[in-house]
C-alpha cells in the first residue's frame, strides 16, 4: 500500500467522521429532519406543537 492509498483512506475517514459528527450534533439539538432548513424552527406549528408541514420531511414525520 503506497502513500496515495493511505491519503485516500484518510480523506474518506475524515469525510465520514465529519458527516457523522454533524448528524450527531443535529439530532442532539432536536432537529427531526437534518436536510430541511426549517427542521429546528418551523413556524407552522399545529395544536400539538409539532410541525404541520412547512417542508416535505416535516409532513412525512407527522403522518407516522
Amino acid at each position: 500500500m503506497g502513500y496515495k492509498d493511505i491519503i485516500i483512506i484518510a480523506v474518506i475517514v475524515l469525510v465520514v467522521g465529519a458527516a457523522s459528527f454533524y448528524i450527531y450534533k443535529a439530532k442532539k439539538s432536536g432537529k427531526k429532519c437534518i436536510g430541511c432548513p426549517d427542521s429546528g424552527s418551523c413556524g407552522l406549528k399545529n395544536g400539538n406543537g409539532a410541525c404541520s408541514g412547512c417542508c416535505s420531511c416535516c409532513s412525512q414525520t407527522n403522518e407516522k
Side-chain angles (χ1 to χ4, degrees):
M1 198 178 338
Y3 284 111
K4 285 198 289 188
D5 295 333
I6 293 173
I7 291 172
I8 291 171
I9 291 171
V11 168
I12 291 172
V13 168
L14 278 172
V15 168
V16 170
S20 299
F21 183 70
Y22 176 77
I23 292 170
Y24 171 76
K25 274 183 36 178
K27 287 294 185 178
K28 190 166 181 143
S29 70
K31 291 187 178 182
K32 292 181 178 22
C33 178
I34 296 169
C36 178
D38 296 325
S39 65
S41 60
C42 179
L44 301 172
K45 303 287 183 183
N46 62 16
N48 299 335
C51 179
S52 62
C54 58
C55 62
S56 62
C57 63
C58 289
S59 61
Q60 288 174 0
T61 56
N62 285 336
E63 291 173 1
K64 292 180 182 177

